[in-house]
Amino acid sequence: MDSSFDIVSKVDRQEADNALNQARKEIEQRYDFKGVGASIAWSGEKIVILANSDERVRAVLDVFQTKLIKRGISLKSLESGEPTASGKEFRLESTLKEGISSENAKKIGKIIRDEGPKSVKSQIQGDELRVQSKSRDDLQAVIALLKGSDLDLDLQFINFR
């Protein structure tokens, strides 16, 4: 009987929400954000940060990133654009990346094939990967291998059976 696990890249929306609310509260209370029109909010699936200068927008992003880390969300999941000016206001949009793109799935599959134990098979299933082997130790080795690899992606290993 083969053992298997799934490789996914997911963000806990509730935790992301908590991080955003904590960042918003901190910005409302901090003296250095008074009178600069600083705000952070969801806009659909995007996170929109507003302030009256490039550096204030970046400072708000920095506060948000700190809150994400405290909530166990990897910054590899956060994709942020560059601040753009519109009138007297600067705007920065970010998104939380979820799922493994087919390009990244292929990269992960190649790492497993080239560097993983020979008994291990991986297959792409939508935006995740299923990894199978007769040996649970080989599966553990693959997890360790991927944790040590330099992928710009926050991976979770689930459904280990």
Side-chain angles (χ1 to χ4, degrees):
M1 178 68 202
D2 277 7
S3 295
S4 69
F5 67 89
D6 297 327
I7 304 172
V8 298
S9 183
K10 299 216 182 317
V11 173
D12 183 333
R13 180 66 188 235
Q14 187 59 54
E15 288 299 340
D17 222 26
N18 291 341
L20 187 130
N21 289 328
Q22 286 179 326
R24 188 176 38 73
K25 281 185 189 133
E26 181 172 323
I27 289 152
E28 286 166 4
Q29 290 164 355
R30 269 176 46 180
Y31 178 76
D32 56 331
F33 287 115
K34 292 275 182 269
V36 298
S39 70
I40 180 169
W42 288 105
S43 173
E45 286 300 301
K46 286 193 168 80
I47 297 150
V48 177
I49 299 173
L50 301 171
N52 67 1
S53 76
D54 181 67
E55 70 190 34
R56 288 291 96 199
V57 168
R58 290 179 193 273
V60 173
L61 178 62
D62 191 53
V63 170
F64 181 51
Q65 288 173 334
T66 306
K67 303 300 181 197
L68 285 174
I69 292 167
K70 281 198 178 126
R71 295 242 160 228
I73 297 174
S74 167
L75 293 184
K76 288 180 178 179
S77 301
L78 184 68
E79 200 159 51
S80 296
E82 286 298 310
T84 54
S86 107
K88 288 188 163 70
E89 197 167 64
F90 281 77
R91 176 187 180 100
L92 190 150
E93 288 187 359
S94 299
T95 51
L96 291 168
K97 293 189 295 193
E98 289 211 288
I100 299 171
S101 68
S102 62
E103 182 191 328
N104 278 323
K106 286 176 188 152
K107 265 188 215 164
I108 293 167
K110 184 169 171 25
I111 290 170
I112 293 170
R113 269 194 320 281
D114 295 351
E115 302 172 41
K118 292 291 164 247
S119 73
V120 177
K121 305 259 178 286
S122 71
Q123 84 193 75
I124 300 170
Q125 298 181 325
D127 64 352
E128 48 189 60
L129 276 87
R130 164 78 38 98
V131 181
Q132 290 175 301
S133 173
K134 292 200 183 328
S135 159
R136 293 178 75 90
D137 288 345
D138 285 355
L139 291 178
Q140 295 283 7
V142 168
I143 291 175
L145 171 69
L146 292 175
K147 281 184 175 169
S149 67
D150 189 23
L151 291 160
D152 190 28
L153 199 57
D154 182 35
L155 300 177
Q156 295 91 36
F157 307 97
I158 61 169
N159 302 331
F160 199 105
R161 37 180 172 283

